Amino acid sequence: MTIATGAPPTRNTPAAVASGFLMGGVIGASPAALVVGAVIENAPLFVLGIVLPAVYGLLFFLAGAPRRAREAAVAPRTALALVESREAVGGEATSDVAVRFELTVAPDDVPVYRAAFTQHVNVVDLADYRPGGVVVAQYPPDRPWRVRIVKRPTPEWEERAAGARVDSAPGPALVSETPEGSAVGIVRLLALLLAAGGVVLLFRADLFDQNASAPPPSAAGPPVSSSSSSSTTVVSSASGTVTLGPNQSFLDQGELRGAVTSLLKGADTRAVLTVVVRERLLSIVYAPTGAQASTFDPDSLPYDRFPALVREARTSLGAGSPHTWQITVERLTGSLTVRVGVTGAEGGASLEADARGKVVRRTPAH
C-alpha cells in the first residue's frame, strides 16, 4: 500500500457536483417553503418545508449504506505511532475532552506517514498522550487518515510501545480522503439561491395578493407593515418578518432580541413554531390558535449565545469562505433545538445547541 502525504487532491467529480447541487437546493428550498407557506397560509407548502430535509437526510443515509458496509468489513491495522502534538479543541466542561492529535504512524509493512485527527479522551488519560510519547494506533488500510489511538491495547502491543522508538515523519499530515473542490461549494451555493428564489417566484402571485387584499388595521388579525431607513417589519396572523438595512446584522448586540420583541407585540400569542435568522432577515412562524404542535416562547432563547455559535460554526467546521449562515430554532423533536448552518466554498456544515446555547452536536463540512 502506498501512502501519499499531504492534502489529497480536491474532488470535483460529476457525482460530487450533483450531490452538492441537491444539498444546496434542499437547504435553500426548505426555509423558503416554511416562510412563504406561513405567510400565504399554505399548509402543504409549510409541511413540505419541514418534510423536505427529513426526506433528503433519509435518502442520503440509505445511499451511503453500501459504502459504510464495505468500509466496516475491512479489518483495521495496528501500528505504533509517535505523538507529534496535541491540542484540546472542545468539551472542557465534561470528563471527555476533544483533542486534536498529530501523529507519525509507523506501520510494519509500509512507509511512515503523518496523520491529523480529533479524538475524545478522558481528562484522566491525557497524561498518557504527551508529545514525544509512543502510542498504539489503528487505521483502516484503505483509509490511512482515519487514525485512532487505541486506549487499551493488547499486552503484546503495550509491551512493544513501552520500549519502541519512532522517528518523526517529514511532510504535511493526512487529514481527509478527498476534500471537495471549490466547484462543489460554488454549485451548492448557487443551488441554494436558485431554490430559495424559485419558491418565492412560484408563489409570488399569492404573496402579492396577500398584501394587496389585506383588511384595514381595525379588522381582527391584520397584517401590519412598518418600515424605516434601517429596517422593515411585516406582521400577519401567521408569521412575522424583520428585514434589516445595509451594514446591519442580527448578530449586533441587542438587534435580534429587539426585533423578536417587536414581532411579538403584533401577535395574539407568544408561542411560536419556528424562528429563522439570517444576516439581515428574521422570520417567526406563530402557532395557530388551538394547535397541538410543539411550541416555545421566543423570550426564553439564549440570544447572548447566538453570536458565539455562529462564530464557531464559521471557523471550526471547515466550511470555508465566502459563506452564508442561518440559525433555525424549533421544538419539532420535543426539546428546543438551536441549529446553526453554514455554507461555504468547502461545503455545508452545522452545529446544534440546546435551550441554554450549549453545543451538543457538530457536523463538519462534507
Side-chain angles (χ1 to χ4, degrees), residues 11-21 180 184 188:
R11 175 164 50 96
N12 284 321
T13 63
V17 173
S19 177
F21 187 86
E180 292 177 345
V184 177
R188 182 180 288 122

Side-chain angles (χ1 to χ4, degrees), residues 3-8 80-86 100-107 111-117 139 143-147 166-176:
I3 298 177
T5 59
L80 296 179
L82 174 69
V83 180
E84 300 285 358
S85 64
R86 68 176 188 185
R100 178 73 171 177
F101 286 102
E102 185 168 332
L103 304 184
T104 288
V105 184
V112 298
Y113 66 96
R114 284 198 180 208
F117 60 95
Y139 63 92
R143 300 180 306 281
W145 52 87
R146 293 193 177 179
V147 181
V166 177
D167 294 329
S168 296
L174 289 172
V175 294
S176 63

Side-chain angles (χ1 to χ4, degrees), residues 3 40 49 64 147 158 190 221-222 231 243 291-292 328:
I3 298 177
I40 67 176
V147 181
E158 190 172 8
L190 177 63
S231 65
T243 304
Q292 300 300 316
T328 304

Side-chain angles (χ1 to χ4, degrees), residues 224-235 241-245:
V224 178
S225 179
S226 64
S227 63
S228 66
S229 60
S230 60
S231 65
T232 301
T233 301
V234 178
V235 180
T241 61
V242 175
T243 304
L244 296 180

